[in-house]
């Protein structure tokens, strides 16, 4: 079990292969911290209209935030994101100057769901037609109210965005589902 704030990285990195298996931890966050984190999520949740840097293509997305691996967290949400990063990178050699955690929040009405998607760099997809994904991804639920589960499929996203529709078709041979729970 992970406790927020309790993961410690070693001082000398070892060459360890990252664990990419789907895993679930329950009751990781102290119950007393959840109301404050939920308030912070609501404050951080912003839908933004933006344009890509090179081509000026407009699109709507959620505001995203970055905490560098060697930075001190300024908020409770940054502390959680950095703790998750440290847990998953423990013992793995990485460049701390260019590594860290990108995070965002989703505040979803009980009656609505987030549609099927792969997390990816949407600006790069719009600009270059390439799908670049996080090295490791994590979903943290603060409530167990409604919503569809997070579904993890053993299907790699295609590199080219034009190939996305074909990748979303076909038989599902296995899946891991994580239902919302706090």
């Amino acid at each position: 079990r992970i406790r927020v704030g309790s993961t410690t990285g070693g001082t000398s990195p070892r060459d360890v292969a990252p664990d990419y298996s789907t895993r679930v931890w329950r009751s990781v966050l102290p119950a007393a911290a959840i109301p404050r984190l939920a308030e912070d999520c609501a404050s951080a949740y912003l839908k933004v209209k933006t344009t890509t840097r090179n081509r000026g293509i407009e699109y709507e997305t959620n505001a995203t935030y970055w905490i560098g691996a060697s930075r001190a967290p300024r908020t409770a949400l940054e502390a959680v994101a950095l703790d998750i990063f440290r847990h998953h990178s423990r013992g793995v050699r990485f460049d701390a100057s260019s590594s860290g955690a990108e995070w965002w929040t989703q505040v979803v009405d009980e009656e609505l769901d987030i549609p099927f998607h792969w997390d990816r760099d949407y600006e790069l997809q719009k600009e270059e037609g390439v799908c670049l994904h996080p090295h490791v991804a994590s979903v943290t639920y603060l409530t167990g109210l409604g919503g569809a589960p997070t579904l993890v499929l053993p299907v790699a996203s295609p590199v080219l965005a034009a190939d996305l529709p074909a990748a979303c078709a076909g038989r599902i041979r296995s899946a891991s589902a994580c239902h919302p729970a706090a």
Side-chain angles (χ1 to χ4, degrees):
R1 209 180 236 194
I2 308 167
R3 298 301 258 154
V4 170
S6 68
T7 59
T8 55
T11 55
S12 60
R14 297 168 283 138
D15 287 324
V16 176
D19 181 352
Y20 295 117
S21 63
T22 301
R23 293 166 286 163
V24 175
W25 288 272
R26 298 207 183 275
S27 303
V28 173
L29 299 170
I34 291 176
R36 173 57 195 247
L37 288 169
E39 287 176 20
D40 288 353
C41 283
S43 295
Y45 179 61
L46 299 171
K47 284 284 190 190
V48 294
K49 289 187 185 234
T50 189
T51 58
T52 60
R53 284 183 286 264
N54 297 326
R55 294 187 183 173
I57 300 169
E58 290 186 11
Y59 67 103
E60 185 174 285
T61 188
N62 294 331
T64 64
Y65 306 91
W66 175 262
I67 177 71
S70 56
R71 297 234 355 242
R74 296 169 297 176
T75 67
L77 289 173
E78 283 186 345
V80 169
L82 196 54
D83 194 60
I84 291 168
F85 171 83
R86 288 178 178 151
H87 172 77
H88 289 287
S89 63
R90 188 174 41 229
V92 176
R93 198 176 300 270
F94 63 90
D95 179 358
S97 68
S98 61
S99 299
E102 179 182 25
W103 62 273
W104 59 93
T105 65
Q106 294 277 0
V107 179
V108 181
D109 187 288
E110 289 180 48
E111 306 301 317
L112 302 175
D113 290 323
I114 298 169
F116 180 81
H117 67 281
W118 278 281
D119 287 344
R120 59 189 176 275
D121 183 330
Y122 289 101
E123 180 164 329
L124 184 63
Q125 178 182 335
K126 300 266 186 211
E127 287 276 333
E128 305 295 334
V130 173
C131 297
L132 180 67
H133 306 279
H135 196 60
V136 174
S138 174
V139 176
T140 304
Y141 294 106
L142 296 181
T143 71
L145 300 174
T150 295
L151 185 65
V152 180
L153 303 172
V155 177
S157 166
V159 173
L160 299 177
D163 296 335
L164 281 168
C168 294
R171 187 177 174 139
I172 298 173
R173 300 195 188 283
S174 66
S176 297
C178 180
H179 292 270

